[in-house]
Amino acid sequence: VKDHMILQIEDCMKDDKISFEEGFSKVEYSWKDSFSLTKYWIFYGQEKIPLVVKKIIKEKYDQILKKAFVFALMSFIINIFLVFYANNVEQYKIFFHVQNALFVVAPTLVLVLNFKILKYIRADFKFKGRIFYTIYQKNVGLLAVSTISMVQVAMKEGKYAYWFLRTDNHTHILFTLLTFIVPLFVQWFVIFGIMNFFEHKNTLKNVSAISNY
């Protein structure tokens, strides 16, 4: 935003042949709405942030959500494949346990292997006491909650999905839908949390490098 505004001021000075002060005032006025304060309660609660910041955050999260959903959808397709690959319902139960347990192991390993940076991910941690390191900090809570939820999913048997697709037993439609949909959404948020974690880790490196410079 800063670089963009500087370029705009330079263009105004050149095209309109005005002073820096006049160019600055003109560009500042054009950004007035973008700098108006708003709330983004999902991640910032009651704290007010500039509208332009909210737009940037939302755009970034939308990108990560889309990527995470693609991976979750791939896992969903693998689950369907395992239904038809299993020789019987007992074998599918094992596949179901293992597949969903991977989404418990993965985030756990991520947090354990990166335990040194966990102190920087607290929601109240601020860089030099002034600004938050990144927009990703509060998502560690989401990762923890989704991982715990994934433990509950992994403990289920998934038998309703097998019965629905491999037998004529279609009497448990609601449980069948839950067997398909719940793991998909919980896995989606687990992947989203992991992606956010690595985005945060990379941003920590960048901010630290700038600070050292």
Side-chain angles (χ1 to χ4, degrees):
V1 172
K2 175 183 174 182
D3 292 339
H4 192 58
M5 291 183 70
I6 290 173
L7 291 175
Q8 286 183 320
I9 293 172
E10 291 177 348
D11 290 339
C12 284
M13 294 172 63
K14 180 179 178 181
D15 297 338
D16 300 338
K17 300 187 185 309
I18 56 179
S19 66
F20 170 79
E21 289 75 14
E22 292 174 311
F24 181 86
S25 297
K26 187 175 181 179
V27 171
E28 183 183 31
Y29 181 79
S30 69
W31 281 81
K32 182 179 66 174
D33 292 337
S34 296
F35 287 142
S36 61
L37 296 179
T38 185
K39 294 180 181 179
Y40 197 18
W41 65 269
I42 297 178
F43 299 109
Y44 284 88
Q46 296 301 312
E47 182 180 355
K48 291 185 177 181
I49 58 175
L51 180 61
V52 65
V53 174
K54 180 178 179 179
K55 290 181 178 178
I56 293 172
I57 294 172
K58 190 174 185 303
E59 181 180 354
K60 184 65 177 179
Y61 277 129
D62 286 346
Q63 293 175 356
I64 300 175
L65 277 169
K66 290 176 183 177
K67 291 179 182 178
F69 185 74
V70 170
F71 285 107
L73 191 59
M74 290 172 60
S75 176
F76 176 80
I77 294 172
I78 291 174
N79 181 42
I80 300 297
F81 170 79
L82 291 174
V83 171
F84 291 98
Y85 182 79
N87 294 323
N88 50 59
V89 67
E90 294 302 322
Q91 187 177 41
Y92 175 69
K93 289 179 183 179
I94 296 174
F95 290 156
F96 185 85
H97 290 316
V98 172
Q99 182 187 15
N100 289 287
L102 291 176
F103 289 88
V104 177
V105 174
T108 302
L109 284 177
V110 167
L111 294 176
V112 170
L113 295 177
N114 293 276
F115 71 95
K116 290 183 178 180
I117 72 168
L118 292 180
K119 61 182 179 181
Y120 300 116
I121 300 178
R122 300 196 318 270
D124 61 344
F125 180 84
K126 290 190 176 184
F127 176 59
K128 292 187 176 180
R130 296 194 304 275
I131 61 172
F132 285 107
Y133 252 110
T134 73
I135 61 176
Y136 312 105
Q137 290 171 228
K138 296 185 179 180
N139 287 321
V140 174
L142 174 63
L143 180 59
V145 171
S146 56
T147 301
I148 293 173
S149 300
M150 203 68 242
V151 172
Q152 301 297 318
V153 173
M155 293 174 64
K156 303 298 181 181
E157 298 179 337
K159 58 187 178 183
Y160 297 106
Y162 184 91
W163 289 342
F164 184 84
L165 295 176
R166 294 290 301 273
T167 71
D168 295 328
N169 186 351
H170 297 163
T171 57
H172 302 285
I173 300 297
L174 177 60
F175 290 111
T176 300
L177 289 174
L178 291 175
T179 302
F180 283 126
I181 295 175
V182 172
L184 172 65
F185 277 90
V186 179
Q187 290 171 14
W188 182 16
F189 285 111
V190 168
I191 298 169
F192 174 73
I194 292 175
M195 287 184 169
N196 269 283
F197 185 92
F198 284 108
E199 288 279 351
H200 177 80
K201 185 177 179 179
N202 290 334
T203 306
L204 279 173
K205 292 179 181 178
N206 294 335
V207 173
S208 299
I210 294 173
S211 175
N212 293 332
Y213 178 80

